[in-house]
Amino acid sequence: MYRENYHSMELPELFREEAATIESLYLYKGEMVSFEPTEHVLWIVKKGSFSLVFANGKKEFIQNGQLFFLPIGSVCTLTIEQGSHLTGFYLPDCLALCEYFLPSGLANKKSAWNTSFNPVEIAPLIWEYCRHLHILFEECQVSAAFRRIKIYELFYLLKSCYTPQELAGLFYPVLRKESSFAKFIYTNYMHVKTVQELASAANMSLKSFENRFNLVFGTSPGRWMIGKKGKKFCGKLFLLTCLLR
């Protein structure tokens, strides 16, 4: 099954080697940026404001001093209202982190939220800690093990600074069962040739798989796979062309 038993893991194995990477975005007024993260991302808005429009047409307004979470595969567009600076922490095993570090039963609290997007105000302690993390991750040569420890600490701080209800709202997208399905798709779609193979890898019938895929991604698995593989192929072809010049 695609559902992993995270509780059977030892703590040091929660992360893969490429985990806990960081990205900074500096965006200008009027600029539009399309997102479709291939990992879970925890974003900190350090400056400015912008609107966030999801694929289903839902619109959210985000401003300076807020913390928000975008799950893997969440297609959205940012329209910058004021010059903005965002820092994102990529968390490949966010579900494992939530289950290990945050209060138990968060998944049961998510029913209190009517939306799948619930930003929170950045607590002063979180703001200061993330500022130091930004410097460490971007300007210093630190090991993967050190990065893991720092992200563990971040989740401990989240637990101390926010109520279980706030954390359930913030991480709602990864706590719902669709999140593990989306992660399974992104991990495996390049290793199969057909939708049937992908459905078999998920231990699902083709019809059940297609229904679930449409629910999570809003399109058919065949169309989605062709689009994704086509983009990857074009990217590799462009790189090869540049190298041959």
Side-chain angles (χ1 to χ4, degrees):
M1 290 289 286
Y2 60 83
R3 296 183 183 87
E4 297 173 303
N5 184 10
Y6 291 106
H7 293 294
S8 67
M9 295 181 178
E10 294 295 328
L11 184 58
E13 298 176 345
L14 283 175
F15 283 105
R16 299 196 301 272
E17 192 66 23
E18 70 271 27
T21 54
I22 190 173
E23 179 178 3
S24 285
L25 296 178
Y26 296 88
L27 305 170
Y28 300 97
K29 183 176 181 180
E31 191 173 356
M32 294 182 68
V33 180
S34 295
F35 273 168
E36 188 176 354
T38 55
E39 292 292 356
H40 302 303
V41 194
L42 186 64
W43 287 102
I44 294 172
V45 185
K46 294 184 172 181
K47 178 185 176 183
S49 60
F50 54 90
S51 59
L52 191 63
V53 182
F54 292 91
N56 61 6
K58 183 180 178 183
K59 186 175 182 179
E60 300 283 350
F61 183 75
I62 309 296
Q63 58 187 355
N64 178 43
Q66 286 191 311
L67 184 70
F68 69 97
F69 178 77
L70 287 179
I72 186 171
S74 53
V75 181
C76 55
T77 302
L78 276 69
T79 301
I80 309 304
E81 309 286 344
Q82 297 178 2
S84 300
H85 176 198
L86 289 77
T87 297
F89 295 93
Y90 285 74
L91 307 170
D93 293 303
C94 187
L95 180 58
L97 289 165
C98 287
E99 291 181 344
Y100 197 99
F101 290 104
L102 301 184
S104 59
L106 278 187
N108 298 326
K109 291 180 171 58
K110 70 179 185 297
S111 59
W113 301 89
N114 296 321
T115 67
S116 58
F117 186 78
N118 301 282
V120 296
E121 298 300 314
I122 303 175
L125 188 60
I126 299 294
W127 181 280
E128 189 64 19
Y129 188 79
C130 288
R131 186 176 70 83
H132 287 294
L133 277 191
H134 187 194
I135 296 171
L136 283 170
F137 282 21
E138 285 207 329
E139 300 180 12
C140 303
Q141 297 260 336
V142 295
S143 67
F146 182 83
R147 289 170 179 257
R148 288 196 289 270
I149 291 170
K150 289 301 172 184
I151 294 298
Y152 295 162
E153 290 177 352
L154 174 59
F155 270 75
Y156 273 122
L157 290 176
L158 288 170
K159 181 179 179 179
S160 66
C161 292
Y162 298 102
T163 66
Q165 288 75 20
E166 288 173 324
L167 292 171
L170 180 64
F171 290 107
Y172 175 94
V174 78
L175 293 173
R176 58 182 185 169
K177 61 183 180 181
E178 286 84 358
S179 175
S180 57
F181 179 80
K183 190 168 185 64
F184 168 83
I185 298 300
Y186 276 96
T187 303
N188 293 282
Y189 82 93
M190 287 299 293
H191 305 297
V192 299
K193 295 180 179 178
T194 66
V195 174
Q196 179 64 67
E197 287 183 40
L198 195 55
S200 298
N203 289 334
M204 299 174 70
S205 69
L206 180 59
K207 186 173 180 58
S208 296
F209 179 82
E210 288 177 336
N211 290 338
R212 184 72 175 278
F213 195 98
N214 270 287
L215 179 66
V216 176
F217 290 92
T219 186
S220 68
R223 180 177 299 175
W224 186 90
M225 286 174 63
I226 290 171
K228 288 295 178 187
K229 290 186 176 184
K231 285 182 180 179
K232 281 188 175 289
F233 176 77
C234 289
K236 290 180 179 179
L237 186 61
F238 176 76
L239 180 60
L240 180 61
T241 303
C242 292
L243 292 173
L244 291 175
R245 285 179 179 174

